[in-house]
Amino acid sequence: MATAVSAHPTPHEEEPAPQIVLLDPSQVERDEQNARETDTEPDAELIASVKEIGVEEAISVRPRPDGTYGAFKGWRRTQAQKIANDSAEADGRPVRRIKAHVREDLVGRDGWTRFLSLVENKHRAGMSARDILKSQELSLINMSEVERRQATRALGVGRNAARQARAAQKLDDATLRRAMAGGMDLEQTAQLAEVEHVQGAERRLLRALERDHEEGGGRGHWDQEMALIKAEQADDDARIKAEEGLKTANIPLLGQPGYGQKDTSKPLVELTTGLGNPLMENNHKNCPGHSARLDPEHQPVWHCSDPAAYGHKVRPQPKKRRTEQDELRAEERRRVIACNRAWKAAAGPRQDFVARLVRRKTLPDAARVFAQEIVLTLPYFYSSWTDKRESESVARFLGIKEPEHADLTETAVQLPKARVVNALFAHVAAACEHYIRDPKTWSNLNERQARYLLLLEALGQEDSGSYRLSEVETESVAPHRPDTAA
């Protein structure tokens, strides 16, 4: 059999039907680009079937330099036929050859070969999630750009599929199985890998995905939950960094005392020197008891671990018992911190949705009317924002590369007439985003701010649930909804 490489058809052309030949199974080895890397051995049921009737469905192979053939589809069937042939004479059965599609056109095309093997195996029972991910990554990396575009469409994945597949492989096998069983796509599985160490992340994301499915599709709930988890992850990272800073400075971080143990430490604000002078970090840092606790924002609160042992005095002040009101204030403080963090996190999915709206071929009428009204009425928040001449957010919504360095004068010259209204909405949306940038905005949302959020909510619902308000946004706009407004 000749092994010369035939001219490669482009992926959009109909490829010629591959030649079918009968091969001795001993001539066939596993192709290096075969997508299945686990569970590669034939089971007893397959072997029994092949012993009786042989291999009915043709395998797919490509020639190898040593005269053998590499099976990228049907390696398990090939092995079953080899096993059957080994005992054929003793059992009084015929030694059979195996039908094979010989793909000379795939010699030297490793990426496309692995892709074809992936498509074959992905829809057969037993291929592991890890094999699927690894093959997606390796096949897409080794393809030409034209082949990659066709392959991603065939697999139903995005342009970043290779990178996402690599990231998703960081998950263990059990988590991968749960993610796929829960309906996560490749991008979502890769995102789970980014945050899996955050407590409860997998459970929360699966629930968000379930809510999206229950409400007709899209990924609005997923995006909001992912943004919130990433904010919590950033908060955890900030605490770790603060703890490492104290460790580097050789300052003990005080833990909470165990059950029945007395906490001998006190914050420096409650202590004085032996002469009654205030104690602060600079005049206490040489004390053997110099230590710290971290406040909710991960800033150090300086303590002395044992004031009595190190000669400090407690400031004379009446001891106040912690009241129920103190507990309520502490709980409200925790809620404010959580809501501030959630409001900041919600900006990411919201601004991503605005960017998708702006880049559409046709801007929704509701967005166009909203933008026109703002420009014609010039509310204070819009005029004050335009005075700042801030352009980075506008450029980001328009999809301009390196938005921090964008020249919108040049953009205006190149902007097609049909895109003017999209650019107008980008401008107005940038002003609205500036208007609600403060993390405390949730606590006192005004009517104009609420109108902007309600507009995006409605547009997200119309777009098959591609965007939904976060929990904190939903609570904030509640008094401004038409059916609840006074």
Side-chain angles (χ1 to χ4, degrees):
M1 179 72 61
T3 60
V5 182
S6 60
H8 298 166
T10 64
H12 297 290
E13 294 176 357
E14 186 71 24
E15 295 186 352
Q19 181 182 5
I20 297 181
V21 300
L22 288 172
L23 296 177
D24 184 330
S26 64
Q27 293 179 270
V28 182
E29 301 295 335
R30 179 183 176 277
D31 194 282
E32 293 80 359
Q33 301 306 321
N34 193 306
R36 185 188 288 269
E37 297 189 14
T38 57
D39 190 25
T40 60
E41 303 297 321
D43 56 30
E45 185 177 353
L46 176 58
I47 294 171
S49 171
V50 170
K51 282 182 177 180
E52 290 299 319
I53 63 174
V55 175
E56 288 292 299
E57 187 179 348
I59 66 172
S60 292
V61 300
R62 59 178 181 165
R64 295 157 62 100
D66 62 359
T68 62
Y69 297 85
F72 61 91
K73 295 183 186 180
W75 175 233
R76 294 172 75 244
R77 283 171 275 155
T78 303
Q79 293 176 90
Q81 189 62 70
K82 288 183 179 183
I83 293 170
N85 285 352
D86 287 343
S87 61
E89 184 176 353
D91 295 343
R93 289 182 285 99
V95 173
R96 294 187 175 97
R97 291 186 290 173
I98 191 167
K99 289 181 288 188
H101 295 289
V102 178
R103 295 294 300 270
E104 295 186 6
D105 60 304
L106 293 179
V107 175
R109 298 172 69 192
D110 287 354
W112 194 255
T113 301
R114 184 174 282 269
F115 164 68
L116 294 176
S117 179
L118 169 62
V119 171
E120 159 86 1
N121 283 287
K122 185 178 179 184
H123 301 294
R124 290 181 179 271
M127 187 173 182
S128 73
R130 189 168 303 284
D131 278 357
I132 291 172
L133 291 170
K134 183 175 180 180
S135 290
Q136 284 176 333
E137 177 197 352
L138 295 180
S139 65
L140 293 171
I141 286 174
N142 291 320
M143 285 183 187
S144 69
E145 186 59 34
V146 175
E147 288 177 336
R148 189 178 297 115
R149 284 197 297 268
Q150 186 181 22
T152 53
R153 287 195 298 270
L155 293 172
V157 296
R159 67 168 72 182
N160 296 317
R163 176 178 56 79
Q164 292 163 355
R166 186 182 312 118
Q169 289 175 70
K170 296 175 184 177
L171 297 170
D172 60 43
D173 290 341
T175 306
L176 274 176
R177 286 194 296 271
R178 289 193 298 269
M180 291 196 167
M184 290 188 194
D185 60 25
L186 178 59
E187 180 182 4
Q188 290 168 327
T189 308
Q191 288 180 326
L192 171 60
E194 292 179 41
V195 299
E196 66 165 330
H197 64 278
V198 176
Q199 186 173 10
E202 180 187 340
R203 171 184 52 78
R204 290 164 60 183
L205 287 171
L206 283 170
R207 176 55 187 145
L209 185 59
E210 183 181 358
R211 290 179 66 193
D212 280 329
H213 290 165
E214 289 171 351
E215 296 178 22
R219 48 182 295 156
H221 289 303
W222 172 281
D223 286 342
Q224 292 292 0
E225 196 64 43
M226 188 70 193
L228 190 55
I229 290 171
K230 283 188 173 181
E232 293 170 12
Q233 183 182 46
D235 190 64
D236 290 343
D237 291 344
R239 182 171 185 87
I240 291 170
K241 184 177 180 180
E243 290 176 354
E244 289 176 347
L246 291 174
K247 185 177 180 180
T248 300
N250 293 317
I251 299 172
L253 176 64
L254 297 174
Q256 295 301 321
Y259 179 75
Q261 293 180 329
K262 183 180 179 181
D263 185 5
T264 60
S265 69
K266 283 192 177 296
L268 298 189
V269 294
E270 297 180 12
L271 302 173
T272 69
T273 66
L275 298 178
N277 294 316
L279 274 177
M280 293 176 288
E281 181 195 5
N282 60 349
N283 64 344
H284 185 261
K285 59 186 177 183
N286 293 323
C287 173
H290 189 57
S291 52
R293 282 195 169 98
L294 296 176
D295 69 12
E297 295 176 347
H298 317 309
Q299 297 301 311
V301 178
W302 305 112
H303 280 60
C304 183
S305 59
D306 195 342
Y310 300 122
H312 307 319
K313 293 183 177 179
V314 177
R315 283 181 183 272
Q317 54 186 356
K319 185 159 183 168
K320 294 169 61 176
R321 293 186 60 188
R322 191 171 178 85
T323 65
E324 183 179 350
Q325 194 64 30
D326 292 329
E327 296 290 350
L328 291 174
R329 279 195 291 267
E331 178 61 32
E332 179 60 21
R333 174 62 180 156
R334 287 190 289 270
R335 180 176 182 275
V336 167
I337 291 172
C339 287
N340 287 352
R341 182 171 59 218
W343 188 265
K344 289 172 65 177
R350 186 177 64 242
Q351 292 173 12
D352 287 345
F353 179 57
V354 170
R356 295 198 298 272
L357 287 173
V358 170
R359 296 171 203 176
R360 282 187 187 179
K361 185 175 181 180
T362 303
L363 188 74
D365 280 343
R368 173 182 58 79
V369 171
F370 178 82
Q372 290 171 179
E373 178 191 331
I374 297 299
V375 171
L376 290 176
T377 59
L378 291 176
Y380 172 75
F381 82 89
Y382 182 67
S383 58
S384 61
W385 175 78
T386 56
D387 286 343
K388 299 180 186 302
R389 303 181 67 83
E390 191 274 326
S391 61
E392 182 177 340
S393 53
V394 180
R396 189 169 63 252
F397 291 153
L398 290 171
I400 297 173
K401 292 182 179 179
E402 298 185 0
E404 64 276 14
H405 304 303
D407 181 356
L408 293 187
T409 302
E410 180 180 343
T411 302
V413 173
Q414 299 174 350
L415 192 68
K417 290 181 181 179
R419 304 288 296 169
V420 170
V421 68
N422 299 61
L424 176 65
F425 180 71
H427 205 263
V428 168
C432 290
E433 288 293 329
H434 185 79
Y435 195 25
I436 60 175
R437 71 192 184 284
D438 192 302
K440 298 178 183 177
T441 302
W442 62 270
S443 63
N444 191 27
L445 199 72
N446 65 40
E447 183 179 355
R448 281 199 177 277
Q449 293 168 328
R451 280 191 62 201
Y452 173 64
L453 295 179
L454 290 170
L455 168 72
L456 297 182
E457 179 186 51
L459 293 174
Q461 289 174 346
E462 291 174 6
D463 190 35
S464 303
S466 65
Y467 172 74
R468 302 182 193 277
L469 294 183
S470 67
E471 182 180 8
V472 69
E473 290 170 317
T474 300
E475 289 183 2
S476 297
V477 302
H480 300 281
R481 292 189 183 276
D483 57 345
T484 59

